[in-house]
Amino acid sequence: MKPNNSPSEILQADLTQKVRASLKGRDFSSAVELAKQRLEHFPEDVESFYLLAVSLRYLGCVDAAQEAIQKLLELDSSYARAYQEQGHNFAQQKKLPEQVGAYRRALELNPALHASWRGLALGLRAQGRASDAEQALRQFQHLQNLPPVLLSAASLLYEKKLHKAEQLCRNFLQKNKHHPEAMRLLALIGAELGVLDDADFLLESCLEMNPDFHRARFDYIGVLRRRQKFAAALEQARLLRSGQGGQQSDILFATQSAMVGDYRTALQIYNQVLAESADLYGVQLQRGHALKTIGEPAEAIEAYRTAYRVKPDFGDAYWSLANMKTYCFGDAEIERMQELQGLTSTAREDRYHLCFALGKAFEDRAQYAESFSWYKKGNELKQQECRYAIEENRRDIDLQIAHCPKELFAESRGSGFDAPDPIFIVGMPRAGSTLLEQILASHPQVDGTFELHNIMASARRLDGRRRTDDEPRYPAILQDLSGEQLKQMGRRYIEETAIHRGKAAFFIDKMPNNFRHIGLIQLALPNAKIIDARRHPVACCFSGFKQLFAEGQEFSYGLESIGEYYRDYVRLMAHWDEVLPGKVLRVHYESVVEDLEGQVRRLLDYCGLPFAEECLQFHRTGRAVRTPSAEQVRQPIYRNGTEQWKCFETELKPLQAVLSGLLEDYPAP
């Protein structure tokens, strides 16, 4: 116990110790009474309900134990051990499907719960699924054989107690150099902390020494994917599939195939897996995403519906339907979503997915007040997981302005890699960048790709490894880079992104967040084109507020934060206009809607491309589109989005106040 603990903390620790001692001594009645005492003193502490549930189960009071778990989940729906306890209780009640489901949910949240792997293995075996049961049993045996300190570190990792987990791993490795599981765990901790270079090196080293360590290879693939090394990730997935075999490696290979655009292979494997295990709702979801991406909306809809039939409270399936932007929910679906959202057993992640889907459902029905209330609730739930701070973003924008003056670019003229291939589309998310990409990608000399993370990865490498309270090295370090270093950075970008391209002379990188790194782009790739996709401030921000992003964009989950982010974006773009005059082409979404041909000709002239009629018929272009606007850009010009925000004008007054000044300055089309 830490020194100077408060009386409350001392009492809490004392009661916890007494409950555990009673359980160890098999005095279950005393354990229940002590747990109830703890609950009286600490009624908002999830550990109180957890200890009570465990004690009641050992006493044989299964129904009462389940009630305690339900109350715990009302406080924290992401508490993995609560689902493990549910699994133990369902096993005693002989409720086999519920047992398997509870253990699976526990392991989704914390894969280090070895008792859940054992319970899952027993449940799967009872269901006659011998192969899946054998895999779960192997995972249980692996965890059971780990040194206790590493098992603790693994649990801390999944409970997001990263610094404590890192300390345990590093101390263990000092005494047990090159221990494969410790190296793997330390790499996972590094990846969670965003130190992907170190995670990559650790896992690569681990596999060189232990080529048959399949779990490490599985994690290595995840790190490679996050680093945008898709070709390497696919090769590792192929090795895993040939080495370990089994359903999980098949699924991973399919996912990696989709990441490099091989949707035919991905769908073939997904279909094979689902033919054997139709209850894998996550695979149904991935199958739906692949079908949506290649332009098969009817089949995608059926895949998403199948996913929520298998797992009724699967919020992501409902949100994926809403996120098609063209799907309309029926009455029964809306009633079911409302019911599920109100259940305490529905996990927080599922709840906010359901909230965003309900927001879209009521918006489609023109019930705008009801719609906004669901969007607001979904954002509030999602915000609980986010760590975004307006002040940190503003500091980063200030640093770009301070360290990227006009002189920096004048002194570096002639440096960098001179390839003219990239066309960057930057700006705010939901500002029309997918539309611009689809228009340009319809040109025979231009390949469309995706939102590539490579520029942001370069910025992270320049920033180096540092603590969050340390002064950033980037972008100040840009002033210290030699011409050769800048050239190498530009060449590396071209080489790393080659896997996403076809044979066209030019390609598009539409990562919107690259507006923060235009200085870096200019220095490393001076001949690249940069297009700023801009949309009316309120329309853009509200569209972002309504969107549940797959990852990142944490600023979007609050009207104030997204409004302030928009202001900082405009401020930084004004700086780039000042120090790099004429470099960036600004294209307003509303102008494209009003004058498609005029804006298309303007875009092509800027890119040095001849006019192509195909760009006016962009909705007929057959290509994979991964963004939320995938279905919209497969239709003729989408006019409805320009004024939709006005249906919510009353609710959006706080946003308009934040954007004051920018609204008056925004040009009419």
Side-chain angles (χ1 to χ4, degrees), residues 394-656:
R394 185 152 296 148
R395 176 205 65 185
D396 292 344
I397 299 298
D398 290 342
L399 288 171
Q400 289 286 339
I401 293 171
H403 294 295
C404 295
K406 187 177 292 187
E407 294 76 17
L408 172 66
F409 304 108
E411 292 165 5
S412 301
R413 191 171 286 118
S415 298
F417 193 58
D418 61 3
D421 311 23
I423 302 171
F424 292 94
I425 302 178
V426 304
M428 291 284 292
R430 311 295 297 146
S433 60
T434 303
L435 174 60
L436 297 186
E437 180 193 35
Q438 185 76 351
I439 289 169
L440 286 171
S442 300
H443 196 286
Q445 295 183 38
V446 181
D447 286 326
T449 62
F450 311 108
E451 295 182 355
L452 307 178
H453 290 69
N454 301 73
I455 291 294
M456 295 192 299
S458 294
R460 279 197 297 270
R461 281 194 292 270
L462 289 171
D463 200 28
R465 185 171 184 180
R466 60 181 179 85
R467 295 185 303 183
T468 52
D469 55 348
D470 288 344
E471 183 72 18
R473 294 174 60 210
Y474 171 84
I477 195 173
L478 292 175
Q479 302 182 24
D480 301 327
L481 299 178
S482 68
E484 183 58 32
Q485 286 174 307
L486 293 171
K487 187 175 183 178
Q488 287 175 2
M489 285 178 59
R491 182 187 287 111
R492 179 175 184 171
Y493 171 85
I494 295 296
E495 290 172 351
E496 287 182 349
T497 55
I499 190 171
H500 303 294
R501 300 177 59 179
K503 296 181 179 179
F506 302 94
F507 73 99
I508 300 164
D509 180 341
K510 67 173 290 289
M511 170 56 72
N513 305 47
N514 281 338
F515 81 86
R516 308 166 72 93
H517 307 294
I518 287 175
L520 170 59
I521 292 170
Q522 174 63 20
L523 293 171
L525 293 158
N527 293 327
K529 301 296 183 184
I530 304 173
I531 299 165
D532 174 21
R534 192 164 295 193
R535 186 178 178 187
H536 184 278
V538 180
C540 183
C541 291
F542 184 47
S543 186
F545 182 77
K546 296 189 299 180
Q547 183 66 41
L548 180 55
F549 292 95
E551 62 177 353
Q553 317 299 18
E554 291 190 347
F555 59 84
S556 69
Y557 299 110
L559 290 178
E560 181 189 1
S561 59
I562 196 170
E564 293 289 355
Y565 188 92
Y566 190 102
R567 294 189 73 91
D568 282 331
Y569 147 69
V570 170
R571 184 164 64 94
L572 183 56
M573 291 309 302
H575 171 73
W576 299 132
D577 289 343
E578 181 183 342
V579 300
L580 293 167
K583 176 67 182 181
V584 178
L585 178 72
R586 185 153 299 112
V587 181
H588 293 92
Y589 173 76
E590 297 80 7
S591 298
V592 179
V593 170
E594 291 300 323
D595 178 20
L596 177 61
E597 183 171 344
Q599 292 299 314
V600 167
R601 289 184 180 278
R602 183 168 168 256
L603 274 166
L604 296 178
D605 285 348
Y606 168 76
C607 294
L609 294 166
F611 180 76
E613 185 68 27
E614 297 96 318
C615 295
L616 298 179
Q617 306 299 323
F618 62 86
H619 53 284
R620 295 179 180 171
T621 300
R623 56 178 287 266
V625 183
R626 289 185 184 172
T627 64
S629 305
E631 287 308 302
Q632 291 168 327
V633 298
R634 294 189 175 111
Q635 302 170 7
I637 202 76
Y638 182 69
R639 294 178 177 274
N640 299 342
T642 56
E643 301 291 324
Q644 180 69 5
W645 68 271
K646 292 186 176 179
C647 299
F648 298 84
E649 198 156 9
T650 301
E651 291 84 358
L652 294 177
K653 287 191 183 301
L655 175 61
Q656 294 179 66

